[in-house]
Amino acid sequence: MASTQGLKLLEAQGIAVTLHPYDYDPGAEAVGMQAAAALGIDPALMLKTLMVEVDGKPACCVIPADRHLSMKRVASAFGGKAAAMMPPAKAEKLTGYRVGGISPFGQKRLVPTALEEVSCGASKVWINAGQRGLLLGIAPEDALRVLSARALPLIA
């Protein structure tokens, strides 16, 4: 199994994770939901990584696969006035990952990151490991610490 930049970062930080490969379906309407179904994971604990722009500046949001971002909450979370989804090609260039495999861990450029606060009460969540078809299981407090992220309300 390939080692991604995200996995290398977590290993260097001494963060324990579990790896969960699954058959990635490039035609899936919702990749996070497909991954949750493939692994039998509660979609509320299967987190998707979304790259956004707040007042034109990049940021990263990590939310449950079965939920949608509130752009108003995203703008507020990052101290801005307006938020929008980052175009896929720009997200790939910024993170060094391909859409469908974007991880908040080990991105090429460090950007402000927030995790949906409702997810942070779980003992473990699943997040993309930086490769299509590979998730990692991690304690939310470890994810917050290694990402220097905040737990904030981000969903609609």
Side-chain angles (χ1 to χ4, degrees):
M1 189 173 304
S3 182
T4 67
Q5 290 303 313
L7 291 172
K8 290 174 185 174
L9 170 72
L10 292 165
E11 183 179 2
Q13 295 284 323
I15 305 294
V17 299
T18 56
L19 295 180
H20 306 271
Y22 68 97
D23 290 327
Y24 173 78
D25 178 2
E29 187 174 319
V31 173
M33 294 297 289
Q34 185 259 328
L39 293 170
I41 296 169
D42 179 350
L45 300 176
M46 170 61 234
L47 306 184
K48 58 186 174 183
T49 305
L50 301 172
M51 300 305 294
V52 298
E53 294 178 309
V54 180
D55 296 342
K57 296 179 182 150
C60 179
C61 297
V62 184
I63 68 168
D66 62 348
R67 303 302 295 269
H68 298 282
L69 281 176
S70 161
M71 289 303 168
K72 187 175 183 177
R73 285 186 167 185
V74 170
S76 176
F78 294 102
K81 293 182 180 183
M85 291 301 298
M86 186 179 287
K90 190 172 183 178
E92 289 183 343
K93 185 175 181 180
L94 180 81
T95 65
Y97 295 124
R98 294 174 62 203
V99 169
I102 293 178
S103 175
F105 307 105
Q107 294 184 2
K108 281 174 39 178
R109 181 173 161 203
L110 191 60
V111 299
T113 302
L115 272 70
E116 169 52 46
E117 66 183 6
V118 300
S119 305
C120 294
S123 60
K124 185 175 184 179
V125 293
W126 287 261
I127 303 173
N128 198 292
Q131 174 182 307
R132 291 174 174 175
L134 183 61
L135 299 178
L136 60 86
I138 189 170
E141 60 271 14
D142 287 339
L144 288 166
R145 186 174 65 252
V146 76
L147 293 168
S148 298
R150 295 179 296 153
L152 299 167
L154 301 169
I155 56 178

